[in-house]
Amino acid sequence: MTNKDLANIIFPDIDKSIEYYENLYPKRNLNEKCAVTRFAPSPTGFMHIGNFQSAVIDYVLARNTNGVFYLRNEDTDSKREIEGAMNVIFDTLKNYDMVPDEYEFNGKVVGNYGPYIQSERKEIYHTFIKYLIEIGRAYPCFCTKEELDEMRKVQESSKRRIGYYGRYAVCRRLNIDEAIEKIKSGIPYVIRFKSEGDFDNKIHFEDEVRGRISIPENDQDIVIMKSSNKLPTYHFAHFVDDYLMRTTHVVRGEEWLPSVPIHLELFKTFNAVPPKYIHTPLILKKDGDTIRKISKRKDPEASMSYYKEKGYPKEALIESLMTIINSNYEQWHTANPEKSYLDFEFSAKKMSSTGGALYDIEKLNNISKNYISKLKAIDVYNGVLEWSKEYDLEFYNILSNNKDYSISIFNIEREQKKPRKDYAAFSEVKSLVWYMYDELFDKEEKNYEFSNITDKDEILRIMKTYIEKYYDEADEQQTWFEKIKDLSKELGYAREVKEYKANPDNYKGHVGDISMVIRVALTTKAMTPNLYDIMKLFGRDRILKRIEELEKNF
């Protein structure tokens, strides 16, 4: 019996050749500078911030070069697959305006290099594996889990490298007839790649982030086809898919660096040019006095759903990631504040190559506050409306029923040289503007934040005198404030703060104290946006109602 006989027994229905698939998926008709990138998640859980960072790099790199960004569903680990995970992944990309150029989703296929779902590519993988068996570079392995566990114990006790290699690769020494007999007997098996590497030799390759790296050759006879579902392992699927889909750049976490020798050997075996590898640093977070890897289990911000639930604008989140993706991004953005992150020229050389990348929520908050502060009021309104529709229906209904009024609220101190920076996320808006809406103010338990003037009678005297003698809806801001000063003088307070400081014994307080009383009486808060703008929006009737509410609470 020959290797070809063995291959035909294992894959009797495979009648296509590697050349057939190479012709079916030819080199892309693109300029050599165009990058073909892929986002290739496994549908085994939620969308992780680290996954999303890789997707951003893939997307930016493809757009920088007028290339192709495609989505591949790596669903070969059926035991860990979570229903609906791919919907979350695709919806996340769509939500952040990163819809792939090629993909397969909900029965729709876009692109000519599919299937884009690995479980649908079994015949392609089997064709490549069959070829390896025919040329003697792959073989069936019948070792049981117990035998492999025992082998590991022996290696550990003798302080040998762990793995299936050299004299430990017992099934590579089976002759063809023995292997065929075991297969015919129904003994379960996997397919292993027969490595020709020597661990004592070094290979040298260029990592796009770290530069030239030397690492031992692969000598492990890795599993390339599983026993249970006959699907390939990650290593082999990576080679076949990225080769046939003509991927030029593979973006993945630095934890995959040790696998490079395996992948390079696979590409070399088929005389194929490997893609360029961009191994991204781990995302770290500050935890007290320590810095550690961000954790799926410990840290809610590890999940992309966290940012959606908080209502961070998509542009702000991407912006925050770009600052850790490339060290020169912040400087570029400061010089080009009106440009999109897609105008930035990404460079893998500008990524952190040691120690990981620190991702700081406070930095995201600052970026997001700055971003929201520059939006038009209508855009803030639409952002809060969209968020509340999913997460706060009460607020959504209030906003919907008070559109123009709400836009006016969001426009307070907005279109000016230094706009207010109150909101880091749309989820924060309600807690900062609730007092502007009677529906929320009326049901809220009042906690008036009076400070210098706390006497109830004095507070009511100030408010009633003001509304009866000095309030006029038509007043411009300067006239309005002059009347506040007049009110202050009438009630025994200094018209100017400096007058009070010069002779504090002559006054009960100053105009700032009067302004604070009015602010707190109308909103309950000591810190609010411009009081004049708030009062203009309130109008006389609402102000009178707030004074009545104040008196009732006293």
Side-chain angles (χ1 to χ4, degrees), residues 347-386:
S347 170
K349 302 296 183 189
K350 296 289 186 180
M351 296 191 76
S352 172
S353 60
T354 57
L358 183 63
Y359 188 64
D360 185 1
I361 289 294
E362 280 309 307
K363 188 170 187 177
L364 168 60
N365 288 337
N366 290 334
I367 288 171
S368 191
K369 283 182 179 180
N370 190 56
Y371 175 80
I372 294 175
S373 75
K374 294 177 181 178
L375 293 176
K376 297 289 187 184
I378 180 64
D379 296 324
V380 177
Y381 171 79
N382 288 331
V384 181
L385 190 72
E386 182 182 355

Side-chain angles (χ1 to χ4, degrees), residues 33-51:
K33 293 183 179 179
C34 296
V36 178
T37 63
R38 84 310 195 259
F39 181 48
S42 299
T44 55
F46 60 70
M47 182 80 154
H48 188 274
I49 187 69
N51 296 137

